[in-house]
Amino acid sequence: MSRAVDGSRRKDHRKKILKQAKGYWGRRHSNFKTAKDAVTKGLFYAYRDRRDRKGDFRRIWIIRINAACRAEGLSYSRLVDGLAKAGVTINRKALAYLAIEDAAAFKAVVAQAKTALGVQAS
């Protein structure tokens, strides 16, 4: 019995990998061996970075909240502590949005944190 060398499954698999490597530089988009490695690594990075993005956004929100609450005379950590003591449950995404879009509402939230901490509200 003759041996199948270039069957359709093999061809389809190679075609799929090379299609995923479209736009890669040099041999990585045309040579199957290098394209396979490049695509595998690219998919791994994409998977990892989708998870990392969540932390990146959290970091950005904290930076924005810290900048806004320091203008009100309070540090970020003191603000979070004050909100916890006041029983205010609001996530960082919403707080960052308030700090940027609705300054009056953010000032009210900061005032609540200050009263819970016993800091003189100015």
Side-chain angles (χ1 to χ4, degrees), residues 52-71:
D52 285 351
R53 187 188 308 143
K54 279 79 173 167
D56 292 343
F57 271 109
R58 184 184 171 98
R59 236 170 265 121
I60 289 169
W61 296 330
I62 289 171
I63 290 165
R64 288 176 179 170
I65 295 165
N66 192 19
C69 67
R70 278 184 190 275

Side-chain angles (χ1 to χ4, degrees), residues 5-45:
V5 177
D6 217 6
S8 61
R9 286 186 69 200
R10 175 185 165 101
K11 219 178 269 179
D12 289 347
H13 174 65
R14 286 170 172 251
K15 229 157 96 176
K16 177 184 161 189
I17 295 292
L18 288 172
K19 186 177 180 185
Q20 286 176 310
K22 191 174 182 182
Y24 285 11
W25 192 82
R27 218 192 286 193
R28 301 174 72 151
H29 77 278
S30 56
N31 180 278
F32 175 72
K33 258 185 174 178
T34 53
K36 181 177 61 174
D37 294 339
V39 166
T40 305
K41 198 155 212 172
L43 291 172
F44 167 75
Y45 286 150

